[in-house]
Amino acid sequence: MWKIYLLAGISFLIGTSEYVIAGILDVIAESNNISVSSAGQLITVFSMAFGLGTPFLIAMTSRMERKKLLIYALIVFSIINSLIAIVTGYEMLIAARIISALSAGVIQVTLLTLASVLAAPGKQGSAIATVIMGGSSALVIGVPIGRVVASNYDWNMIFIGIGVVGVLFLVLTLFTIPKIVAEEPVPLREQFKFFMQPRISAFLLVTFLWLGSYSVVFTYISPYFLDIFGMNGQGVTTALFIFGIASALASKLGGFSTDKWGAFRTLTGGMILGAIALLLFPFIGQSSFLIYILLILWALSAWSSGAPIQFQLISFAPAAASIVLSLHSALGQLGMSAGAGIGGIAVKNGLLKYIPWVGALGLTIAIVITIIDNVLSKQKQTKQTHNNLCIEK
C-alpha cells in the first residue's frame, strides 16, 4: 500500500506545480514587470497544453513500459521546473510551463495506470482515489505553502523545490516501483467516438463549464483578495488554507452525497450553491467573516461536483471507463485554460471585481444543461417503459 502513497505523493507534486501559480500571481507579475492578466496566462497555457497534449503523448507512448515512461517524464518535469526558477523573460516562462504541463499530463495518467495495477485485488478504486486525492491536496498544502515561501523568500524557490522533490521521487520510483507491461493501446479515433454519444457529450460540456467557471475566479484569487477585499499577504495565505481544507472535504462530501442522494441532486445542488456564492462575492465589502463563509461555500460546491460527473460518465460507458475519464480530464484542463484566459481578459479591462459573475454565468449554463439532460433521460425512460408495456399486451 505504501507504493500507492508514493504515487499519491508524486500526484501532489504535479498538482502543486499546476495550482501554485494562482497563489502567487501578484508576486510573479511584479517580479517580471508584467500585468496580472499576463501572469495569469501561465495557468492558461499549462492547462491547454495538459488538456490537448496529454492524449496524443499517451497514444504515442502507449507501448512503452509504464515504469520507464514515468521515469522519463519525471526527469523532464524535474529539469523544466528547476529551469522555471532561473529563466528570464515572459516568453521563456510560457515555453517552460508548456513543457512542464506536457510532462505532468503523462505523469498523471501513468500514475493512475500504475495505481490500478499495483493495488490489491478489489482495491483498485480506492488506490485510484488515493492518487487523485494526492493531486487535490495540493490546494490544501501546496498552494498556501507556496504563498508563504513567495512572501518570505523568492517565488523562484518554489520551483527549485519542486524540481528537487521531483528528483527524490524519481530515485524512489527507480528503486521501488516494479516494471509494468503497457496496456493495449486505444487509438485516438476510437476515443473520440465517445463524443458522438449525446449524454457523454453533455457531461463533458458540463465538465468544461464547471472547471472553466472555477478557473475564471481561482486563477486571479490572490489579486482579488489583495485588491478587492484589501487583505494583506498573511490574510491571503489564511484564505487559501481555508479554501484548500474546504476543497478537500468537498471531494469526500461529493462522493457521499452521490451515493446517498444521487448524482443529479448532488451535481445540480452543488452548482446552484456555487453560482449563488459567486454572485454574492462583489456585494460583501471587506467583512472577513462573510468572505470566509462564501469562500467555504464556493469550495464545497466546486469540489463536490467532480464525483457525480465522473459517476455519470462511467454509468454511460461502464466498459470504457478509463477512456471517458481521460476525456473528462482533458476537457477539464481545457476548461481551466479557457477560464483563466477569459478571466485574464476581464482583469485586463478593469473588471477584476466582477470575475465571480463570469464564473456564475458558466455554472448557470452547466446547470441548465444538466437539468435538460435529466428531463430528456426521464422522458426517454418513460417512453421505453410505455413501449415495453405495449409489446407485452
Side-chain angles (χ1 to χ4, degrees):
M1 186 63 183
W2 64 270
K3 292 178 181 177
I4 302 299
Y5 288 117
L6 170 61
L7 301 180
I10 299 173
S11 181
F12 167 79
L13 188 66
I14 299 302
T16 299
S17 74
E18 177 174 8
Y19 300 130
V20 73
I21 293 287
I24 58 172
L25 206 61
D26 56 305
V27 180
I28 292 178
E30 183 179 352
S31 67
N32 287 276
N33 295 314
I34 57 177
S35 66
V36 168
S37 61
S38 295
Q41 301 316 302
L42 295 171
I43 297 174
T44 303
V45 297
F46 187 102
S47 297
M48 184 175 291
F50 194 118
L52 290 176
T54 299
F56 289 96
L57 287 175
I58 291 298
M60 289 169 58
T61 58
S62 59
R63 298 186 184 278
M64 185 180 294
E65 190 268 313
R66 299 294 92 177
K67 176 182 176 179
K68 183 183 292 186
L69 179 60
L70 179 58
I71 289 172
Y72 287 164
L74 276 171
I75 291 172
V76 174
F77 177 82
S78 301
I79 292 173
I80 200 66
N81 276 281
S82 299
L83 288 176
I84 287 175
I86 61 175
V87 296
T88 57
Y90 180 64
E91 293 77 10
M92 291 297 291
L93 272 176
I94 290 288
R97 284 289 284 176
I98 290 172
I99 299 172
S100 176
L102 293 173
S103 60
V106 172
I107 290 169
Q108 192 64 35
V109 174
T110 308
L111 291 176
L112 295 174
T113 303
L114 288 170
S116 64
V117 175
L118 295 175
K123 299 291 185 180
Q124 285 88 351
S126 177
I128 291 172
T130 300
V131 173
I132 293 173
M133 183 64 72
S136 62
S137 65
L139 287 168
V140 185
I141 305 171
V143 175
I145 287 178
R147 182 73 199 185
V148 171
V149 172
S151 299
N152 293 281
Y153 302 99
D154 194 305
W155 71 268
N156 305 71
M157 295 297 295
I158 298 168
F159 289 92
I160 292 175
I162 289 174
V164 171
V165 176
V167 172
L168 293 176
F169 279 133
L170 169 63
V171 173
L172 288 172
T173 299
L174 192 61
F175 290 103
T176 60
I177 301 298
K179 292 184 177 181
I180 303 295
V181 178
E183 296 179 339
E184 188 66 28
V186 179
L188 283 173
R189 63 179 179 274
E190 293 296 324
Q191 296 186 32
F192 287 118
K193 283 183 179 179
F194 288 93
F195 282 112
M196 305 305 293
Q197 298 185 29
R199 297 203 72 189
I200 291 178
S201 294
F203 273 83
L204 289 176
L205 180 56
V206 169
T207 298
F208 179 88
L209 292 166
W210 156 54
L211 283 174
S213 71
Y214 169 80
S215 181
V216 165
V217 185
F218 186 73
T219 298
Y220 298 95
I221 197 71
S222 292
Y224 197 89
F225 287 150
L226 292 165
D227 298 342
I228 306 303
F229 290 152
M231 290 183 176
N232 55 25
Q234 184 177 357
V236 173
T237 302
T238 301
L240 288 173
F241 267 117
I242 291 172
F243 180 83
I245 292 170
S247 299
L249 293 174
S251 299
K252 290 290 185 183
L253 178 64
F256 172 80
S257 178
T258 299
D259 290 338
K260 188 171 180 63
W261 293 295
F264 174 73
R265 290 182 180 178
T266 300
L267 182 57
T268 51
M271 290 194 296
I272 289 171
L273 177 64
I276 292 172
L278 290 174
L279 285 171
L280 292 176
F281 261 102
F283 294 112
I284 60 175
Q286 295 183 345
S287 167
S288 297
F289 175 75
L290 291 178
I291 290 169
Y292 293 147
I293 291 297
L294 285 184
L295 197 61
I296 290 170
L297 291 177
W298 176 46
L300 289 174
S301 66
W303 287 98
S304 65
S305 299
I309 291 175
Q310 292 177 56
F311 176 86
Q312 290 285 63
L313 286 170
I314 292 172
S315 69
F316 299 152
S322 61
I323 296 176
V324 293
L325 289 181
S326 67
L327 292 174
H328 164 76
S329 176
L331 265 292
Q333 288 293 334
L334 292 176
M336 299 251 319
S337 174
I342 293 169
I345 294 171
V347 171
K348 193 173 182 179
N349 287 278
L351 299 174
L352 177 61
K353 182 176 181 179
Y354 300 104
I355 57 172
W357 288 1
V358 181
L361 175 62
L363 279 180
T364 301
I365 298 172
I367 292 165
V368 171
I369 292 171
T370 305
I371 292 174
I372 291 174
D373 171 82
N374 187 64
V375 171
L376 292 177
S377 175
K378 285 186 175 180
Q379 288 178 349
K380 185 177 180 179
Q381 289 176 357
T382 302
K383 185 176 180 181
Q384 190 171 21
T385 302
H386 176 74
N387 290 339
N388 291 337
L389 289 172
C390 291
I391 292 171
E392 289 177 4
K393 290 180 181 179

